[in-house]
Amino acid sequence: TINSGNGLITGVSSGTSVMTYTVSGTGGCSDATANRTATVTGAPSTPGSITGSSSVCSGIAGSYSISSVTGATSYTWAYSGTGTASSSTTSVDLTATGAGNLTVTATNSCGTSSAQSKAIAIATPTKYVSTTGSNSNNGDASNSAYLTLEYALTQVAGSGCYNISIAAGTYT
């Protein structure tokens, strides 16, 4: 929008527009006309969906990302739960120890977008070990309590995310 009194241009929305200025001639002089193109840039759009798991193991880093946003020059990631997420790019590593929401905004010189958010839960896989070793869904199917416990431990080893429930009794 152009204010005809002072020539001030006010952008209503992002885009490009051609403006024509006309100065009326007086005293026998003809009108003078000039065309100018103005581009109005707004804040970036809201980032698209955040990719990555909605369930993480406590204290284990998970990777998350978004597609780049047109016109964005940086990104801000934040986590509302207990944990850390810090990045200024389209990807972030989140190390969470408590459930929360992972959010990201896109920024440029004209402003900051609305936030995109993803709920994050803390997962704890469980393995159950019986004294007879007969629980083949969670352990070794050999009916040996020792092999069942050994199998359960190998399934969670190195993951940093486990809860092994061992039944009371005698193991041989």
Side-chain angles (χ1 to χ4, degrees):
T1 307
I2 302 172
N3 181 321
S4 61
N6 62 17
L8 179 66
I9 301 169
T10 305
V12 179
S13 61
S14 298
T16 301
S17 180
V18 176
M19 295 168 282
T20 303
Y21 288 95
T22 303
V23 177
S24 300
T26 61
C29 295
S30 60
D31 293 347
T33 302
N35 291 324
R36 296 293 182 255
T37 301
T39 301
V40 176
T41 305
S45 299
T46 301
S49 297
I50 299 171
T51 60
S53 179
S54 59
S55 180
V56 298
C57 296
S58 180
I60 303 298
S63 294
Y64 296 86
S65 64
I66 57 167
S67 296
S68 60
V69 176
T70 301
T73 54
S74 67
Y75 301 86
T76 302
W77 294 85
Y79 185 61
S80 68
T82 308
T84 58
S86 179
S87 176
S88 60
T89 68
T90 58
S91 62
V92 68
D93 286 334
L94 167 67
T95 302
T97 55
N101 287 305
L102 179 64
T103 59
V104 61
T105 56
T107 303
N108 66 17
S109 61
C110 296
T112 300
S113 71
S114 297
Q116 179 63 265
S117 183
K118 183 177 189 94
I120 305 294
I122 303 300
T124 306
T126 300
K127 294 290 180 183
Y128 178 78
V129 179
S130 70
T131 56
T132 63
S134 62
N135 191 346
S136 62
N137 288 331
N138 291 301
D140 183 80
S142 68
N143 291 329
S144 158
Y146 173 77
L147 289 177
T148 298
L149 178 58
E150 182 181 50
Y151 179 81
L153 289 171
T154 63
Q155 296 303 297
V156 298
S159 72
C161 185
Y162 54 87
N163 179 19
I164 299 176
S165 179
I166 301 177
T170 303
Y171 292 83
T172 56

